[in-house]
């Protein structure tokens, strides 16, 4: 399996020419890189005007690997071929390196690039990517991969120091400026091909780190981009705006290993390709990666599911649109209170004083869930603010739960059910947001509640729980270790006034009937402009749009939640028959959790009864697609989502009941889409597109 790695952009606040002068000083060997033993020039070529310089080297590495592994491999050194292409006119240096030793067992391919900073021509950027493909290595494949990652991590950590060391050395010698290239009298082409070089070992050696660039010379495996890379000039071709700067990562995201940086960059790039303009913030992407131990596929799946959920229920607008009922202001015993010693926002919940039964009876489960979601959204906002205030990354908050007063009435079955539902939604959509949970004054009944709740809490989250019985929180290792004494709430023996409501019993006059609560619950979670549909193999989902006036504009916005689909647009002069719902029902199969409608009769012939007005568009799982079509004729237009390929394997820890039923009934030949459509008059569409800065009102497909 090919392992790919991508490093963030490193910035040197020095001109390109000066950085190149520093770079050349690390050859033929470098004392700062003990494993880099030597390098020999194989070939060298310069252009007539000296604007380009190509050089190929054979680099000798003494890899830090177990002696036993070296003896089994039969070699002491590893050889890499490094090709440098310097373009002084364009001010770029492309570096490509690959292993020569053991190339039939292990393949390492590295691409690096030095270039001028896009916003400051006196600064220099460095980027690199690499791939590692271990085909076989005497049964030590896992060991070789670990060695490669170790070397890669060490080189990334030390990389920038190497260039900066030689920059300081140049400065000490009085060299602070190197003139840029300019056209000069032609010089002859120079080519050197020494043929008397050592013959490489017949048995390849451990292949780990090509010394491809100065700032990361001894690199082990480096990460290649998501698609195979060809020549050095093709490497790292994305626009600078799409890339993450190493200083930005350290400032706003924290200390990440090279592998973690690589996962973040790759997942972020994938989101940019499929969700252009609507990708979440880097901190949010990182939370999902951490929740799945930086497993790219698993993190991508749960992140896409969460993004779809947020879009469907318009969670991004929750803080602006959700107004908490007065009963929550009066009786919900929770609120934000300063921050802990680490700068994390602090949320206090006096659960023991909360009338959970009264709140559920007065508000319903969905209103409580919305309120908790608004708390989490506020927590994300506060984390961003504290990151700016304290000057270090803060991505989670601390929750203090006071259980004084907790008793058997809190174990009321509908209340526990609502709590479990809230935990399930929060765990799925706000992973790694809880930095620490302090549970104080836990009574004897607490183990019963913990037994009911703990199975629904992620293991990594459970490790963040600190539980104190009685007044244990007041002693050593207690509350003062995590919260400054000055902000400990008064009800816990501190001196700080806390504005969290004291709670109390909700008056029964505020209770509502089950019917009223059910209607409110339905209204809350159907307040969305999007519709959901299931697409089966042999059973597409189709949507009918009748157009009265020609030159109208059909617009759409849809997300592919599961599987791959093909999107088509058809036109017919006659109306199709009433829609056939659930075509699989005739075989005793239902389609749980999704709508499926077919409009095009099997007797219809394409080109006679209906026609295709736009080319089919294949949409991959996780993509968000927006587009529009200017109609040419009145009549009936049919938007069709057709099955293309089976969805990827589920990687969630625990499948939902609906998913299990769906799998049992329709196998895996099922896709899901969530869509919204609108028909606009041509003038209205022109106004909207001009207002949004679009170039034209013609057909446009865009994967967002």
């Amino acid at each position: 399996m090919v392992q790919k790695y991508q490093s963030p952009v490193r910035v040197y606040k020095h001109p390109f020419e000066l950085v190149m002068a520093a770079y050349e000083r690390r050859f033929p060997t470098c004392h700062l890189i003990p494993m880099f033993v030597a390098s020999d020039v194989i070939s060298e070529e310069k252009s007539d005007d000296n604007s380009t310089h190509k050089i190929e080297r054979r680099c000798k590495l003494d890899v830090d690997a177990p002696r036993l592994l070296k003896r089994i491999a039969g070699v002491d050194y590893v050889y890499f071929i490094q090709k440098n292409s310097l373009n002084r006119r364009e001010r770029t240096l492309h570096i490509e390196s690959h292993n020569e030793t053991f190339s039939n067992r292990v393949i390492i391919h590295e691409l690096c690039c030095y270039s001028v900073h896009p916003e400051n021509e006196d600064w220099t950027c460095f980027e690199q990517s690499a791939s590692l493909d271990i085909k076989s290595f005497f049964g030590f494949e896992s060991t070789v991969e670990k060695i490669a990652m170790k070397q890669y991590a060490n080189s990334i950590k030390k990389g920038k120091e190497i260039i900066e060391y030689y920059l300081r050395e140049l400065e000490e010698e009085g060299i602070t400026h190197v003139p840029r290239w300019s056209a000069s009298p032609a010089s002859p082409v120079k080519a050197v091909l020494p043929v008397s070089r050592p013959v490489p070992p017949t048995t390849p050696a451990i292949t780990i780190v090509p010394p491809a660039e100065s700032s990361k010379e001894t690199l082990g495996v480096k990460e290649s981009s998501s698609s195979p890379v060809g020549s050095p000039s093709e490497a790292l071709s994305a626009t600078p705006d799409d890339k993450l700067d190493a200083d930005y990562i350290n400032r706003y995201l924290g200390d990440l290993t090279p592998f973690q940086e690589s996962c973040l960059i790759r997942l972020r790039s994938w989101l940019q390709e499929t969700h252009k303009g609507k990708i979440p913030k880097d901190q949010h992407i990182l939370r999902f990666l951490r929740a799945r131990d930086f497993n790219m596929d698993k993190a991508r799946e749960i992140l896409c599911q969460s993004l779809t959920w947020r879009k469907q229920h318009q969670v991004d607008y929750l803080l602006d649109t959700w107004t908490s009922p007065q009963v929550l202001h009066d009786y919900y015993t929770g609120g934000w209170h300063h921050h802990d010693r680490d700068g994390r926002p602090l949320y206090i919940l006096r659960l023991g004083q909360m009338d959970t039964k009264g709140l559920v009876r007065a508000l319903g489960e969905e209103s409580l869930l919305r309120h908790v979601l608004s708390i989490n959204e506020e927590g994300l906002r506060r984390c961003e603010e504290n990151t700016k205030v304290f000057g270090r990354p803060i991505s989670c908050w601390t929750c203090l739960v006071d259980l004084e007063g907790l008793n058997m009435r809190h174990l009321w079955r509908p209340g526990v059910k609502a709590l479990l539902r809230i935990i399930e939604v929060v765990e799925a959509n706000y992973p790694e947001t809880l930095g620490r949970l302090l549970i104080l004054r836990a009574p004897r009944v607490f183990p019963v509640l913990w037994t009911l709740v703990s199975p629904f809490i992620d293991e990594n989250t459970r490790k963040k729980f600190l539980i104190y019985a009685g007044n244990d929180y007041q002693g050593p290792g207690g509350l003062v270790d995590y919260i400054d004494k000055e902000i400990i709430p008064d009800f816990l023996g501190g001196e700080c006034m806390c504005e969290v409501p004291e709670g109390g019993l909700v008056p029964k006059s505020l209770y509502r009937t089950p019917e009223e609560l059910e209607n409110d619950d339905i209204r809350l979670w159907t307040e969305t402009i999007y519709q959901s549909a299931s697409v089966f193999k042999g059973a597409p989902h189709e949507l009918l749009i009748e157009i009265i006036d020609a030159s109208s504009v059909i617009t759409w916005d849809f997300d592919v939640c599961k599987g791959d689909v093909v999107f088509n647009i058809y036109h017919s002069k006659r109306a199709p028959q009433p829609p056939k719902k659930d075509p699989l029902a005739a075989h005793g199969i239902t389609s749980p959790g999704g709508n499926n409608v077919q409009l095009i009769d099997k007797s219809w012939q394409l080109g006679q009864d209906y026609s295709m007005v736009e080319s089919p568009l294949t949409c991959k799982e996780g993509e968000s697609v927006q587009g529009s079509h200017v109609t040419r004729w009145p009549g009936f237009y049919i938007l069709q989502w057709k099955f293309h390929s089976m969805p990827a394997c589920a990687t969630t820890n625990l499948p939902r009941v609906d998913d299990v039923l769906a799998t049992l009934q329709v196998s895996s030949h099922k896709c899901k889409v969530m869509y919204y459509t609108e028909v606009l008059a041509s003038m209205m569409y022109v106004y909207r597109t001009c207002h949004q800065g679009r170039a034209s009102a013609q057909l446009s497909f865009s994967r967002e």
Side-chain angles (χ1 to χ4, degrees), residues 15-18 20-21 88 91 175-182:
F16 174 80
E17 289 73 20
L18 192 62
M20 290 298 98
R88 295 187 176 91
R91 305 178 76 195
I175 303 174
T176 58
H177 174 73
V178 176
R180 295 186 186 180
W181 175 90
S182 60

Side-chain angles (χ1 to χ4, degrees), residues 119 172 192 282 292 492 658:
E119 297 177 0
E172 291 171 359
V192 181
D282 298 323
R292 290 297 178 265
L492 293 175
D658 287 349

Side-chain angles (χ1 to χ4, degrees), residues 115-129:
S115 61
V116 178
H117 193 284
E119 297 177 0
N120 190 330
E121 63 177 12
D122 291 328
W123 290 359
T124 305
C125 295
F126 171 77
E127 308 164 57
Q128 76 184 97
S129 63

Side-chain angles (χ1 to χ4, degrees), residues 31 110 174 236 242 251 266 310 487 498 547 571 610:
H31 71 279
E110 180 185 15
L236 311 162
D242 294 338
R251 169 65 177 81
R266 291 165 59 199
R310 294 182 68 88
I487 64 170
C498 184
I547 297 296
H571 172 262
Y610 67 109

